[in-house]
Amino acid sequence: QVQLVESGGGLVQAGGSLRVSCAASGTFFTIYDMGWYRQAPGKQRELVATIGVGGSTNYADSVKGRFTISRDNAKNTVFLQMNSLKPEDTGVYYCNADTVRGYDQSRLLYWGQGTQVTVSS
């Protein structure tokens, strides 16, 4: 079992910045891709950004140039630096981790519990 714990959400004015973090813990797992998704009220969960174990990144068009995803592999932690925030960035931000369980090579996807980000206009 892998646990993902997000932190760093909060309330910020439009144009401001926030950094959210997600720490993964568990034994006998190898973590590969990690990512951030968000869900606004009444909308489906959507991709924000992903990062591979080697550092390759992918961003939603809506956040390119404003958000930066990074990771610390030694600490199994992924970060999302969010700059120039807009009210439409408001939502619950979830991290996920694509993992392989060591003893049977099962590929498993885990999600965190989410952290609220609210951007006021």
Side-chain angles (χ1 to χ4, degrees), residues 107-120:
R107 188 166 184 174
L108 302 167
L109 182 68
Y110 290 93
W111 290 87
Q113 81 287 351
T115 185
Q116 178 69 44
V117 172
T118 303
V119 184
S120 63

mmCIF file with all atom_site columns, all heavy atoms in Angstrom, residues 107-120:
data_model
loop_
_atom_site.group_PDB
_atom_site.id
_atom_site.type_symbol
_atom_site.label_atom_id
_atom_site.label_alt_id
_atom_site.label_comp_id
_atom_site.label_asym_id
_atom_site.label_entity_id
_atom_site.label_seq_id
_atom_site.pdbx_PDB_ins_code
_atom_site.Cartn_x
_atom_site.Cartn_y
_atom_site.Cartn_z
_atom_site.occupancy
_atom_site.B_iso_or_equiv
_atom_site.pdbx_formal_charge
_atom_site.auth_seq_id
_atom_site.auth_comp_id
_atom_site.auth_asym_id
_atom_site.auth_atom_id
_atom_site.pdbx_PDB_model_num
ATOM 1   N N   . ARG A 1 107 ? 1.157   -3.357 -11.345 1.00 0.00 ? 107 ARG A N   1
ATOM 2   C CA  . ARG A 1 107 ? 1.171   -1.911 -11.568 1.00 0.00 ? 107 ARG A CA  1
ATOM 3   C C   . ARG A 1 107 ? -0.081  -1.320 -10.935 1.00 0.00 ? 107 ARG A C   1
ATOM 4   O O   . ARG A 1 107 ? -1.201  -1.729 -11.261 1.00 0.00 ? 107 ARG A O   1
ATOM 5   C CB  . ARG A 1 107 ? 1.207   -1.594 -13.056 1.00 0.00 ? 107 ARG A CB  1
ATOM 6   C CG  . ARG A 1 107 ? 1.427   -0.128 -13.351 1.00 0.00 ? 107 ARG A CG  1
ATOM 7   C CD  . ARG A 1 107 ? 1.791   0.073  -14.791 1.00 0.00 ? 107 ARG A CD  1
ATOM 8   N NE  . ARG A 1 107 ? 2.100   1.469  -15.082 1.00 0.00 ? 107 ARG A NE  1
ATOM 9   C CZ  . ARG A 1 107 ? 2.565   1.885  -16.246 1.00 0.00 ? 107 ARG A CZ  1
ATOM 10  N NH1 . ARG A 1 107 ? 2.769   1.018  -17.233 1.00 0.00 ? 107 ARG A NH1 1
ATOM 11  N NH2 . ARG A 1 107 ? 2.832   3.165  -16.436 1.00 0.00 ? 107 ARG A NH2 1
ATOM 12  N N   . LEU A 1 108 ? 0.103   -0.373 -10.037 1.00 0.00 ? 108 LEU A N   1
ATOM 13  C CA  . LEU A 1 108 ? -0.996  0.180  -9.258  1.00 0.00 ? 108 LEU A CA  1
ATOM 14  C C   . LEU A 1 108 ? -0.922  1.706  -9.268  1.00 0.00 ? 108 LEU A C   1
ATOM 15  O O   . LEU A 1 108 ? 0.161   2.280  -9.160  1.00 0.00 ? 108 LEU A O   1
ATOM 16  C CB  . LEU A 1 108 ? -0.941  -0.330 -7.822  1.00 0.00 ? 108 LEU A CB  1
ATOM 17  C CG  . LEU A 1 108 ? -1.000  -1.852 -7.657  1.00 0.00 ? 108 LEU A CG  1
ATOM 18  C CD1 . LEU A 1 108 ? -0.632  -2.250 -6.239  1.00 0.00 ? 108 LEU A CD1 1
ATOM 19  C CD2 . LEU A 1 108 ? -2.382  -2.367 -8.007  1.00 0.00 ? 108 LEU A CD2 1
ATOM 20  N N   . LEU A 1 109 ? -2.080  2.341  -9.376  1.00 0.00 ? 109 LEU A N   1
ATOM 21  C CA  . LEU A 1 109 ? -2.168  3.797  -9.363  1.00 0.00 ? 109 LEU A CA  1
ATOM 22  C C   . LEU A 1 109 ? -2.800  4.239  -8.058  1.00 0.00 ? 109 LEU A C   1
ATOM 23  O O   . LEU A 1 109 ? -3.876  3.757  -7.695  1.00 0.00 ? 109 LEU A O   1
ATOM 24  C CB  . LEU A 1 109 ? -3.012  4.286  -10.540 1.00 0.00 ? 109 LEU A CB  1
ATOM 25  C CG  . LEU A 1 109 ? -3.149  5.803  -10.695 1.00 0.00 ? 109 LEU A CG  1
ATOM 26  C CD1 . LEU A 1 109 ? -1.813  6.411  -11.088 1.00 0.00 ? 109 LEU A CD1 1
ATOM 27  C CD2 . LEU A 1 109 ? -4.213  6.133  -11.730 1.00 0.00 ? 109 LEU A CD2 1
ATOM 28  N N   . TYR A 1 110 ? -2.133  5.136  -7.363  1.00 0.00 ? 110 TYR A N   1
ATOM 29  C CA  . TYR A 1 110 ? -2.645  5.639  -6.095  1.00 0.00 ? 110 TYR A CA  1
ATOM 30  C C   . TYR A 1 110 ? -2.951  7.124  -6.196  1.00 0.00 ? 110 TYR A C   1
ATOM 31  O O   . TYR A 1 110 ? -2.296  7.855  -6.947  1.00 0.00 ? 110 TYR A O   1
ATOM 32  C CB  . TYR A 1 110 ? -1.621  5.406  -4.977  1.00 0.00 ? 110 TYR A CB  1
ATOM 33  C CG  . TYR A 1 110 ? -1.467  3.967  -4.602  1.00 0.00 ? 110 TYR A CG  1
ATOM 34  C CD1 . TYR A 1 110 ? -0.494  3.170  -5.189  1.00 0.00 ? 110 TYR A CD1 1
ATOM 35  C CD2 . TYR A 1 110 ? -2.314  3.379  -3.659  1.00 0.00 ? 110 TYR A CD2 1
ATOM 36  C CE1 . TYR A 1 110 ? -0.360  1.843  -4.856  1.00 0.00 ? 110 TYR A CE1 1
ATOM 37  C CE2 . TYR A 1 110 ? -2.183  2.050  -3.317  1.00 0.00 ? 110 TYR A CE2 1
ATOM 38  C CZ  . TYR A 1 110 ? -1.203  1.290  -3.923  1.00 0.00 ? 110 TYR A CZ  1
ATOM 39  O OH  . TYR A 1 110 ? -1.073  -0.035 -3.583  1.00 0.00 ? 110 TYR A OH  1
ATOM 40  N N   . TRP A 1 111 ? -3.932  7.548  -5.371  1.00 0.00 ? 111 TRP A N   1
ATOM 41  C CA  . TRP A 1 111 ? -4.341  8.951  -5.326  1.00 0.00 ? 111 TRP A CA  1
ATOM 42  C C   . TRP A 1 111 ? -4.253  9.475  -3.901  1.00 0.00 ? 111 TRP A C   1
ATOM 43  O O   . TRP A 1 111 ? -4.495  8.739  -2.942  1.00 0.00 ? 111 TRP A O   1
ATOM 44  C CB  . TRP A 1 111 ? -5.785  9.103  -5.796  1.00 0.00 ? 111 TRP A CB  1
ATOM 45  C CG  . TRP A 1 111 ? -5.974  8.854  -7.255  1.00 0.00 ? 111 TRP A CG  1
ATOM 46  C CD1 . TRP A 1 111 ? -6.196  7.658  -7.867  1.00 0.00 ? 111 TRP A CD1 1
ATOM 47  C CD2 . TRP A 1 111 ? -5.936  9.834  -8.299  1.00 0.00 ? 111 TRP A CD2 1
ATOM 48  N NE1 . TRP A 1 111 ? -6.312  7.832  -9.221  1.00 0.00 ? 111 TRP A NE1 1
ATOM 49  C CE2 . TRP A 1 111 ? -6.160  9.160  -9.518  1.00 0.00 ? 111 TRP A CE2 1
ATOM 50  C CE3 . TRP A 1 111 ? -5.746  11.216 -8.332  1.00 0.00 ? 111 TRP A CE3 1
ATOM 51  C CZ2 . TRP A 1 111 ? -6.197  9.823  -10.749 1.00 0.00 ? 111 TRP A CZ2 1
ATOM 52  C CZ3 . TRP A 1 111 ? -5.782  11.873 -9.551  1.00 0.00 ? 111 TRP A CZ3 1
ATOM 53  C CH2 . TRP A 1 111 ? -6.001  11.186 -10.742 1.00 0.00 ? 111 TRP A CH2 1
ATOM 54  N N   . GLY A 1 112 ? -3.940  10.755 -3.796  1.00 0.00 ? 112 GLY A N   1
ATOM 55  C CA  . GLY A 1 112 ? -4.001  11.410 -2.509  1.00 0.00 ? 112 GLY A CA  1
ATOM 56  C C   . GLY A 1 112 ? -5.412  11.849 -2.193  1.00 0.00 ? 112 GLY A C   1
ATOM 57  O O   . GLY A 1 112 ? -6.329  11.694 -3.001  1.00 0.00 ? 112 GLY A O   1
ATOM 58  N N   . GLN A 1 113 ? -5.584  12.442 -1.005  1.00 0.00 ? 113 GLN A N   1
ATOM 59  C CA  . GLN A 1 113 ? -6.921  12.821 -0.554  1.00 0.00 ? 113 GLN A CA  1
ATOM 60  C C   . GLN A 1 113 ? -7.346  14.186 -1.087  1.00 0.00 ? 113 GLN A C   1
ATOM 61  O O   . GLN A 1 113 ? -8.516  14.552 -0.989  1.00 0.00 ? 113 GLN A O   1
ATOM 62  C CB  . GLN A 1 113 ? -6.976  12.820 0.981   1.00 0.00 ? 113 GLN A CB  1
ATOM 63  C CG  . GLN A 1 113 ? -6.425  14.078 1.658   1.00 0.00 ? 113 GLN A CG  1
ATOM 64  C CD  . GLN A 1 113 ? -4.905  14.183 1.597   1.00 0.00 ? 113 GLN A CD  1
ATOM 65  O OE1 . GLN A 1 113 ? -4.213  13.250 1.194   1.00 0.00 ? 113 GLN A OE1 1
ATOM 66  N NE2 . GLN A 1 113 ? -4.395  15.326 2.027   1.00 0.00 ? 113 GLN A NE2 1
ATOM 67  N N   . GLY A 1 114 ? -6.405  14.936 -1.632  1.00 0.00 ? 114 GLY A N   1
ATOM 68  C CA  . GLY A 1 114 ? -6.717  16.236 -2.212  1.00 0.00 ? 114 GLY A CA  1
ATOM 69  C C   . GLY A 1 114 ? -6.449  17.385 -1.260  1.00 0.00 ? 114 GLY A C   1
ATOM 70  O O   . GLY A 1 114 ? -6.547  17.246 -0.035  1.00 0.00 ? 114 GLY A O   1
ATOM 71  N N   . THR A 1 115 ? -6.122  18.525 -1.840  1.00 0.00 ? 115 THR A N   1
ATOM 72  C CA  . THR A 1 115 ? -5.935  19.750 -1.070  1.00 0.00 ? 115 THR A CA  1
ATOM 73  C C   . THR A 1 115 ? -6.631  20.893 -1.805  1.00 0.00 ? 115 THR A C   1
ATOM 74  O O   . THR A 1 115 ? -6.535  21.005 -3.031  1.00 0.00 ? 115 THR A O   1
ATOM 75  C CB  . THR A 1 115 ? -4.437  20.059 -0.846  1.00 0.00 ? 115 THR A CB  1
ATOM 76  O OG1 . THR A 1 115 ? -4.299  21.194 0.002   1.00 0.00 ? 115 THR A OG1 1
ATOM 77  C CG2 . THR A 1 115 ? -3.688  20.317 -2.149  1.00 0.00 ? 115 THR A CG2 1
ATOM 78  N N   . GLN A 1 116 ? -7.354  21.707 -1.066  1.00 0.00 ? 116 GLN A N   1
ATOM 79  C CA  . GLN A 1 116 ? -8.157  22.767 -1.677  1.00 0.00 ? 116 GLN A CA  1
ATOM 80  C C   . GLN A 1 116 ? -7.291  23.970 -2.028  1.00 0.00 ? 116 GLN A C   1
ATOM 81  O O   . GLN A 1 116 ? -6.507  24.452 -1.194  1.00 0.00 ? 116 GLN A O   1
ATOM 82  C CB  . GLN A 1 116 ? -9.263  23.214 -0.724  1.00 0.00 ? 116 GLN A CB  1
ATOM 83  C CG  . GLN A 1 116 ? -10.131 24.352 -1.235  1.00 0.00 ? 116 GLN A CG  1
ATOM 84  C CD  . GLN A 1 116 ? -11.023 23.941 -2.390  1.00 0.00 ? 116 GLN A CD  1
ATOM 85  O OE1 . GLN A 1 116 ? -11.641 22.879 -2.365  1.00 0.00 ? 116 GLN A OE1 1
ATOM 86  N NE2 . GLN A 1 116 ? -11.100 24.790 -3.418  1.00 0.00 ? 116 GLN A NE2 1
ATOM 87  N N   . VAL A 1 117 ? -7.451  24.444 -3.254  1.00 0.00 ? 117 VAL A N   1
ATOM 88  C CA  . VAL A 1 117 ? -6.836  25.685 -3.698  1.00 0.00 ? 117 VAL A CA  1
ATOM 89  C C   . VAL A 1 117 ? -7.952  26.621 -4.131  1.00 0.00 ? 117 VAL A C   1
ATOM 90  O O   . VAL A 1 117 ? -8.768  26.268 -4.985  1.00 0.00 ? 117 VAL A O   1
ATOM 91  C CB  . VAL A 1 117 ? -5.860  25.443 -4.866  1.00 0.00 ? 117 VAL A CB  1
ATOM 92  C CG1 . VAL A 1 117 ? -5.380  26.767 -5.459  1.00 0.00 ? 117 VAL A CG1 1
ATOM 93  C CG2 . VAL A 1 117 ? -4.673  24.607 -4.399  1.00 0.00 ? 117 VAL A CG2 1
ATOM 94  N N   . THR A 1 118 ? -7.998  27.777 -3.524  1.00 0.00 ? 118 THR A N   1
ATOM 95  C CA  . THR A 1 118 ? -9.023  28.764 -3.854  1.00 0.00 ? 118 THR A CA  1
ATOM 96  C C   . THR A 1 118 ? -8.354  30.064 -4.252  1.00 0.00 ? 118 THR A C   1
ATOM 97  O O   . THR A 1 118 ? -7.532  30.596 -3.502  1.00 0.00 ? 118 THR A O   1
ATOM 98  C CB  . THR A 1 118 ? -9.958  29.009 -2.662  1.00 0.00 ? 118 THR A CB  1
ATOM 99  O OG1 . THR A 1 118 ? -10.553 27.766 -2.265  1.00 0.00 ? 118 THR A OG1 1
ATOM 100 C CG2 . THR A 1 118 ? -11.064 29.990 -3.029  1.00 0.00 ? 118 THR A CG2 1
ATOM 101 N N   . VAL A 1 119 ? -8.709  30.556 -5.428  1.00 0.00 ? 119 VAL A N   1
ATOM 102 C CA  . VAL A 1 119 ? -8.144  31.802 -5.936  1.00 0.00 ? 119 VAL A CA  1
ATOM 103 C C   . VAL A 1 119 ? -9.270  32.823 -6.019  1.00 0.00 ? 119 VAL A C   1
ATOM 104 O O   . VAL A 1 119 ? -10.239 32.642 -6.753  1.00 0.00 ? 119 VAL A O   1
ATOM 105 C CB  . VAL A 1 119 ? -7.500  31.609 -7.315  1.00 0.00 ? 119 VAL A CB  1
ATOM 106 C CG1 . VAL A 1 119 ? -6.828  32.904 -7.769  1.00 0.00 ? 119 VAL A CG1 1
ATOM 107 C CG2 . VAL A 1 119 ? -6.496  30.461 -7.279  1.00 0.00 ? 119 VAL A CG2 1
ATOM 108 N N   . SER A 1 120 ? -9.132  33.882 -5.253  1.00 0.00 ? 120 SER A N   1
ATOM 109 C CA  . SER A 1 120 ? -10.158 34.918 -5.237  1.00 0.00 ? 120 SER A CA  1
ATOM 110 C C   . SER A 1 120 ? -9.840  35.993 -6.270  1.00 0.00 ? 120 SER A C   1
ATOM 111 O O   . SER A 1 120 ? -8.681  36.296 -6.545  1.00 0.00 ? 120 SER A O   1
ATOM 112 C CB  . SER A 1 120 ? -10.261 35.533 -3.849  1.00 0.00 ? 120 SER A CB  1
ATOM 113 O OG  . SER A 1 120 ? -9.044  36.169 -3.507  1.00 0.00 ? 120 SER A OG  1
#
